[in-house]
Amino acid sequence: MSSSNEAGRAFIGSFTSAGGRGIVAAAVDRETGALTVLGATDAVADPSFLVLAPGGTVLYAVSETEDGAAAAFDVTGDGAPLPVGAPVAVGGAAPTHLTLAGGHLVTANYGSGSVTVLPVGADGAPEEATGVLHHRGSGPRQDRQGGPHAHQVLPDPTGRWVLSVDLGTDSVRVCELAAPPGTLRVHTETALRPGTGPRHLAFHPDGSHAYVLGELEPAVTVCRWDAESGVLVPLGETPVVEPGADVATYPSEVVVAHDGRFLWAANRGHDSIAVLALDPSGAKAEFVTTVGCGGHWPRDLALDPSGSRLYAANERSGDVTWFDIDQETGIPRRAGSVEVPAASCVVFG
């Protein structure tokens, strides 16, 4: 195993309320992909999703609690991340995702169906929220879609737009950071098939298409993305489980290969990773196969910086499992795992 100075770094979020250690720092062996835990911090409760700032010195986490918060951590050391300032309230419940956009930290608040904008201070710490955008609407699944449930926020590849994926309203909102600074304004809203429960999306490397993963129905909606006009247009759906699969399946994360040839989706319940082949334009996705996720309830799926390995955060089996990707077929092959109780996401430094 390489020393931590020679190895890459990974940061793993986990649910402290389910026995997780909070944010776990790990070394990544560049040759084998193996993770070695270096330390952990439980300075915030339920840091279920993380994002690393450009430069790799500051890590941000949501606190997926009823009184939702966001927090910053210094990750320049070799051990556990160190808090930078105090956690800041997001003015919304159960934030599940966050991103950096336009010099601000933006969170998706699942419980309250809202998106929050927080300025980032000179020290990297989030400051008091300057804007909260409340989604409106519902879907046909009253058990899960009685109201809005913002699940993901991310900038488009140009950095001009911020997209918010809402499971409760079966839609994706395209927003722009507006005046006054630190607020969001909805530019367009794209309706997806009712009842699909969109959870996350990922862009094609060339920025021409986006792939929206449904949580309530195991399928990916392929969309054309027009960055000039800020418009997302659905083109068609592709399943992420085999025909006839009789296991209740709740997909969680979608990842696209660096070269745009393949797409992978994590399937909770089915406990698998789906492999889809993309055509050269990115406009069509074809189901290839599924492989076991190496554990139970894969909440997150992450591609390493080299693009040669996938990492699954298996929440209920309490591990992160890594896979080598066959570069010809796109099919992952299990290569190892490390124990991380209540693992929820993986990001790389």
Side-chain angles (χ1 to χ4, degrees):
M1 177 69 197
S2 304
S3 73
S4 61
N5 290 331
E6 296 171 343
R9 297 288 297 279
F11 302 97
I12 305 162
S14 67
F15 286 97
T16 56
S17 60
R21 298 176 64 193
I23 303 172
V24 176
V28 187
D29 188 298
R30 297 189 190 277
E31 296 297 321
T32 67
L35 299 180
T36 300
V37 172
L38 302 173
T41 176
D42 60 359
V44 295
D46 291 343
S48 63
F49 199 84
L50 314 172
V51 67
L52 197 63
T57 61
V58 179
L59 181 76
Y60 296 97
V62 295
S63 179
E64 192 178 333
T65 58
E66 188 62 28
D67 299 320
F73 295 83
D74 181 335
V75 292
T76 57
D78 287 338
L82 300 175
V84 179
V88 175
V90 299
T96 53
H97 199 271
L98 78 171
T99 194
L100 289 159
H104 294 77
L105 194 64
V106 186
T107 69
N109 311 315
Y110 180 87
S112 52
S114 60
V115 175
T116 300
V117 182
L118 305 102
V120 175
D123 61 354
E127 299 178 343
E128 184 176 347
T130 51
V132 180
L133 174 66
H134 294 277
H135 292 182
R136 297 286 184 266
S138 60
R141 286 277 304 272
Q142 286 304 300
D143 58 331
R144 296 291 307 277
Q145 296 182 307
H149 292 298
H151 213 304
Q152 183 198 34
V153 282
L154 78 166
D156 85 310
T158 71
R160 178 180 176 185
W161 309 103
V162 177
L163 281 74
S164 172
V165 183
D166 195 301
L167 182 150
T169 63
D170 288 317
S171 63
V172 178
R173 290 165 176 82
V174 178
C175 304
E176 56 184 344
L177 286 166
T183 60
L184 279 178
R185 181 181 71 83
V186 176
H187 172 68
T188 59
E189 182 174 356
T190 298
L192 301 179
R193 184 164 61 84
T196 53
R199 178 183 172 98
H200 279 194
L201 73 74
F203 284 98
H204 190 278
D206 71 7
S208 64
H209 293 84
Y211 309 93
V212 186
L213 184 65
E215 177 175 333
L216 302 184
E217 289 196 20
V220 164
T221 301
V222 180
C223 300
R224 184 173 63 251
W225 170 242
D226 185 335
E228 182 65 26
S229 60
V231 174
L232 189 70
V233 179
L235 301 177
E237 295 182 25
T238 303
V240 293
V241 292
E242 296 87 350
D246 59 359
V247 178
T249 301
Y250 307 95
S252 60
E253 183 61 290
V254 57
V255 175
V256 180
H258 294 335
D259 62 8
R261 294 172 58 217
F262 301 105
L263 176 152
W264 300 278
N267 290 321
R268 295 171 298 176
H270 198 260
D271 287 342
S272 67
I273 299 170
V275 183
L276 279 62
L278 301 177
D279 78 340
S281 72
K284 294 182 179 179
E286 180 182 359
F287 177 81
V288 176
T289 191
T290 58
V291 299
C293 68
H296 182 33
W297 211 252
R299 187 179 181 89
D300 188 41
L301 195 63
L303 193 62
D304 79 337
S306 75
S308 63
R309 294 187 181 91
L310 279 171
Y311 291 73
N314 295 315
E315 180 185 351
R316 294 185 181 175
S317 54
D319 63 83
V320 174
T321 298
W322 55 92
F323 301 79
D324 294 326
I325 300 168
D326 186 307
Q327 296 302 302
E328 294 301 316
T329 66
I331 296 174
R333 177 179 57 84
R334 187 183 185 279
S337 68
V338 66
E339 181 182 357
V340 182
S344 58
C345 81
V346 182
V347 299
F348 291 93

